[in-house]
Amino acid sequence: LNVTEEQFVLDTLAGCVEYKSLLDVVVNAFFVQDGRYSLASERNLYAVICYLATFELEELGFQHFSRIVKSLDTVKMQKFLRFFFNVLNLNTWIKDEWSHFYDSAYVKENWIDPLLRWQPKVQQLIGQLTEKLSNRATTVKTSMVTQPKEFNLTVPKQRAIVVPLPKPVLEKRRPVPPSTYKAPKEEKQLEEIKIKNRRKAEVSILCSCSGFPFLLTCFFCKVLFPQYLELVWQLVLRQYFEELQSSHRIYIPIKLNAAAILREGALYQRKMEQELKRTENLLQGAGDPSEFLEWQKQMREKDLEKQLAEIECRRLQGKLSYEEAVLAHQNVIQQNKKKADLMREEKAELMHQYAERRLQEQKELRELVEQVVEGHKNAKQAKIKLQKYKQQIVQEVCEENRELLRQALEEEEEKLKKRYELIQQIRAIESLPSVRHKVVDLTETGGHGLICEMSIVELRERLALLREAQKAAEEERRDQIIHEKQAKEQLLLDKLDQISLFRAQLGRAAALKQEEKKRKSQSRDRLMKDERVLNLQKKIMEKTMERKAQAGLL
């Protein structure tokens, strides 16, 4: 740049930095309203144009300013100047926003008034830009069509016919063993055992509930009327379960796994040790804590009754507070309705005032449009000169592009020649014969100089020895597992016997649970008779009646 141009650029940059807050007000508003689809990278462009129009238009002169604007994108400049030099915007919100940073009188005298004085000339410039956009001629660029050429390649020599290798013969596979598609024998044995156990259980149930006469009847049914035997069995089983339920001694057998058996056996073992310890203490002269435990149980029941009464009172108090909150909410709704009516009246008045102001603005805009139409008439000659200047520039650019394409084609031809020579060298190297067969001796080592080197024959012998040792270890482990399994089965059988004894004893204590249920029902009856609960229920009924009456009014 020249000295003067460099000084102008530096002064413009310094001014944009100094008055950044004022420029941001205009640029941000432009991006919100008219420049919604503009790029964020164009922000600095609009800031510079705003700075030149506001602070440097007097020194720069309108002719230089219009030259700068016309050198930029026509659509962008037309939008921004129309937005910035709008009389309504300058006199209203731009002036108010700039007054936040500087004194309002200073803003009006030094910035707003000069912009209003330049406004007619700027409107002429905007008209020229608009006419340029409307009369823009679309020029179609004609591109050079590429003419393809065949490659000058050498014809390859015919290669020798390769003799195909013989196909390898696969070994005959072993047939699939027939045991794969057959069910194992263990399943059949288990099914037979289940059927035998079911028959034994049915016979034992018949013996326990019906006696000999019914067995005789079943025998005759089986011999004379075999089709009714299943119905008789169902009747017998139903009668048996009804008898067990009437005597409160029904126990449904549950199939236990090993973990459940051991866990239940450990539980009963602990209980038995505790009972033995208690009897030893009694024999040694220790006191019987049954009376204290009975007193403790009674006191806990009383405490539980008090806690239940307190919980019921809290629940009813919460319900009462809910009813009061609903009443307060209904009162607030009534007050809000009154406020909404007042707001509607105020809104109608404001809309009326806004409509009057809008009509006045439309009148002013019509006057401005008439002024802009008058300025459009003087822009046709300038447009013709600009078109001729652009055509000259396009011709010069086309000539430069042709020269660059010619140079690029020469460089590509040189690169192709080098690649072709390199391919010829690689093919010559690949055509040389090479020896690929090597005789292998399985008794020799690799010869790498390591201590642990061995031949393949020695490696196979060592692997065979390791397999034999592994098989012997597996046999030993299998025998050990069988012995452990037998010992575990015996332990489980002992635990099952112990569990059956303890379950028989626990069945006798079922009657005590019913007595505890009766006591709990009595405590609930006492809870319903509490005076505080009755008073709270009355208050809740009164509040609900009042809320329903007020809801009907609403």
Side-chain angles (χ1 to χ4, degrees):
L1 296 175
N2 298 330
V3 177
T4 56
E5 292 177 352
E6 185 177 359
Q7 186 64 33
F8 172 71
V9 171
L10 291 174
D11 292 342
T12 305
L13 178 60
C16 290
V17 173
E18 183 179 358
Y19 297 104
K20 184 178 184 299
S21 57
L22 301 179
L23 302 177
D24 286 344
V25 170
V26 179
V27 175
N28 290 336
F30 172 71
F31 272 97
V32 171
Q33 295 182 13
D34 294 350
R36 289 190 298 273
Y37 303 108
S38 300
L39 298 176
S41 60
E42 300 168 357
R43 185 182 182 84
N44 294 328
L45 172 65
Y46 298 131
V48 170
I49 297 298
C50 182
Y51 171 75
L52 293 176
T54 307
F55 302 100
E56 298 292 335
L57 193 55
E58 297 285 346
E59 296 181 6
L60 191 63
F62 185 76
Q63 189 174 2
H64 289 290
F65 177 74
S66 62
R67 194 178 302 162
I68 292 170
V69 170
K70 289 178 181 178
S71 66
L72 299 172
D73 188 49
T74 309
V75 179
K76 299 173 186 175
M77 291 298 104
Q78 191 258 354
K79 277 186 183 179
F80 182 72
L81 292 176
R82 186 177 60 190
F83 170 77
F84 182 51
F85 281 92
N86 190 354
V87 179
L88 183 62
N89 293 341
L90 289 171
N91 287 325
T92 54
W93 60 269
I94 293 178
K95 179 182 174 183
D96 296 338
E97 291 294 330
W98 285 359
S99 298
H100 292 314
F101 303 100
Y102 295 92
D103 188 27
S104 60
Y106 180 80
V107 170
K108 187 176 185 307
E109 182 180 355
N110 293 321
W111 296 330
I112 300 297
D113 291 342
L115 288 172
L116 292 174
R117 285 199 304 272
W118 287 105
Q119 202 265 346
K121 292 187 177 181
V122 174
Q123 288 296 333
Q124 293 178 4
L125 178 61
I126 293 171
Q128 294 174 8
L129 295 175
T130 307
E131 189 175 356
K132 182 180 177 181
L133 288 174
S134 61
N135 298 328
R136 179 182 289 176
T138 57
T139 59
V140 179
K141 294 183 179 180
T142 58
S143 59
M144 297 291 292
V145 180
T146 305
Q147 297 294 333
K149 293 182 180 180
E150 295 182 358
F151 291 107
N152 188 13
L153 300 176
T154 57
V155 180
K157 296 179 180 179
Q158 292 183 356
R159 295 185 179 181
I161 299 171
V162 181
V163 179
L165 296 173
K167 293 183 180 180
V169 180
L170 298 176
E171 296 181 358
K172 190 176 181 181
R173 294 183 295 177
R174 295 180 181 179
V176 179
S179 61
T180 305
Y181 304 105
K182 291 182 181 179
K185 297 179 180 178
E186 288 77 4
E187 290 185 1
K188 293 181 180 179
Q189 293 176 359
L190 289 172
E191 195 66 31
E192 292 175 357
I193 291 167
K194 284 182 183 178
I195 293 168
K196 289 180 182 178
N197 291 336
R198 182 177 177 81
R199 288 175 181 173
K200 288 180 183 178
E202 289 172 352
V203 171
S204 63
I205 290 169
L206 286 172
C207 292
S208 62
C209 72
S210 301
F212 178 76
F214 199 81
L215 284 173
L216 191 62
T217 304
C218 291
F219 174 74
F220 281 113
C221 285
K222 187 173 182 180
V223 175
L224 300 176
F225 306 104
Q227 62 271 21
Y228 298 110
L229 183 61
E230 188 67 26
L231 181 62
V232 173
W233 280 117
Q234 291 179 1
L235 292 172
V236 170
L237 292 173
R238 189 182 301 169
Q239 182 182 0
Y240 175 66
F241 283 115
E242 287 176 357
E243 289 178 0
L244 289 179
Q245 287 177 357
S246 63
S247 61
H248 304 287
R249 293 178 182 176
I250 180 166
Y251 299 107
I252 298 171
I254 299 171
K255 187 176 180 180
L256 301 175
N257 55 8
I261 292 168
L262 293 173
R263 189 164 53 246
E264 195 168 357
L267 176 64
Y268 291 144
Q269 187 68 26
R270 283 198 302 272
K271 288 182 179 180
M272 189 170 65
E273 289 175 358
Q274 291 175 1
E275 189 66 23
L276 290 172
K277 190 174 181 181
R278 190 178 69 83
T279 52
E280 287 178 1
N281 291 332
L282 289 174
L283 291 173
Q284 290 175 3
D288 190 6
S290 60
E291 295 180 358
F292 171 74
L293 293 173
E294 185 67 25
W295 173 80
Q296 189 180 23
K297 188 176 181 181
Q298 293 175 0
M299 296 303 292
R300 284 178 179 172
E301 289 177 356
K302 290 180 181 179
D303 294 338
L304 180 62
E305 291 175 2
K306 290 180 181 179
Q307 289 177 1
L308 291 173
E310 289 291 334
I311 291 167
E312 186 67 18
C313 289
R314 286 177 197 156
R315 188 182 69 80
L316 295 174
Q317 287 174 359
K319 196 172 181 181
L320 182 61
S321 62
Y322 169 74
E323 296 292 338
E324 292 174 353
V326 171
L327 287 172
H329 181 65
Q330 290 175 354
N331 294 329
V332 171
I333 290 170
Q334 290 179 355
Q335 294 177 2
N336 289 336
K337 283 184 179 179
K338 294 177 182 178
K339 291 179 181 178
D341 295 335
L342 293 173
M343 292 288 288
R344 289 192 194 97
E345 294 175 359
E346 293 177 358
K347 186 178 179 181
E349 293 178 0
L350 291 173
M351 290 296 291
H352 183 66
Q353 295 175 4
Y354 175 74
E356 292 178 355
R357 191 169 68 246
R358 190 68 181 170
L359 289 171
Q360 186 66 26
E361 291 176 358
Q362 287 179 358
K363 289 180 182 178
E364 294 176 357
L365 286 173
R366 286 194 194 108
E367 294 175 358
L368 290 173
V369 168
E370 291 175 358
Q371 294 176 4
V372 170
V373 170
E374 292 177 359
H376 287 175
K377 296 178 182 178
N378 302 322
K380 290 185 178 178
Q381 295 179 357
K383 184 178 178 181
I384 294 168
K385 292 180 181 179
L386 185 62
Q387 286 180 354
K388 291 180 179 178
Y389 177 69
K390 285 187 176 179
Q391 287 175 359
Q392 291 177 1
I393 292 172
V394 168
Q395 289 176 0
E396 293 175 359
V397 170
C398 288
E399 291 176 358
E400 291 178 358
N401 288 337
R402 287 170 188 166
E403 184 65 24
L404 290 173
L405 284 171
R406 188 181 61 77
Q407 294 176 2
L409 287 171
E410 290 177 356
E411 292 177 358
E412 287 293 328
E413 287 178 358
E414 291 178 359
K415 288 181 181 178
L416 286 172
K417 287 180 181 178
K418 292 180 181 179
R419 288 179 184 173
Y420 178 71
E421 292 175 358
L422 185 61
I423 289 168
Q424 291 293 332
Q425 293 175 5
I426 292 169
R427 286 181 177 175
I429 292 168
E430 288 179 350
S431 62
L432 294 173
S434 60
V435 179
R436 297 181 181 178
H437 299 287
K438 186 178 180 181
V439 180
V440 179
D441 189 2
L442 299 179
T443 58
E444 292 182 356
T445 58
H448 300 293
L450 301 174
I451 299 173
C452 58
E453 281 185 350
M454 65 179 73
S455 62
I456 295 174
V457 175
E458 185 180 355
L459 179 63
R460 289 174 180 173
E461 291 178 356
R462 291 192 180 187
L463 287 174
L465 294 173
L466 285 174
R467 288 194 193 98
E468 293 177 359
Q470 189 175 3
K471 284 183 181 179
E474 285 178 358
E475 291 292 334
E476 185 178 355
R477 179 63 180 163
R478 192 176 289 109
D479 295 339
Q480 185 179 357
I481 289 168
I482 290 168
H483 291 309
E484 290 176 356
K485 192 180 288 186
Q486 290 175 356
K488 188 175 180 181
E489 288 177 356
Q490 187 62 35
L491 177 63
L492 291 175
L493 290 173
D494 297 339
K495 291 287 182 182
L496 279 173
D497 295 338
Q498 188 180 3
I499 288 166
S500 61
L501 292 174
F502 277 105
R503 282 184 178 177
Q505 292 177 1
L506 291 173
R508 297 165 190 167
L512 295 174
K513 292 183 180 179
Q514 293 183 355
E515 294 178 1
E516 290 180 359
K517 289 181 181 179
K518 290 179 182 179
R519 291 177 186 173
K520 289 181 181 178
S521 63
Q522 291 175 1
S523 64
R524 289 174 186 169
D525 295 338
R526 293 175 194 169
L527 178 62
M528 296 301 292
K529 296 177 183 178
D530 196 350
E531 294 180 358
R532 291 186 298 168
V533 175
L534 294 174
N535 292 330
L536 287 171
Q537 288 177 353
K538 288 179 182 178
K539 288 182 181 179
I540 290 168
M541 290 293 292
E542 293 173 359
K543 292 289 182 182
T544 50
M545 295 295 290
E546 184 179 355
R547 177 172 61 81
K548 289 179 181 178
Q550 196 166 2
L553 293 173
L554 287 173

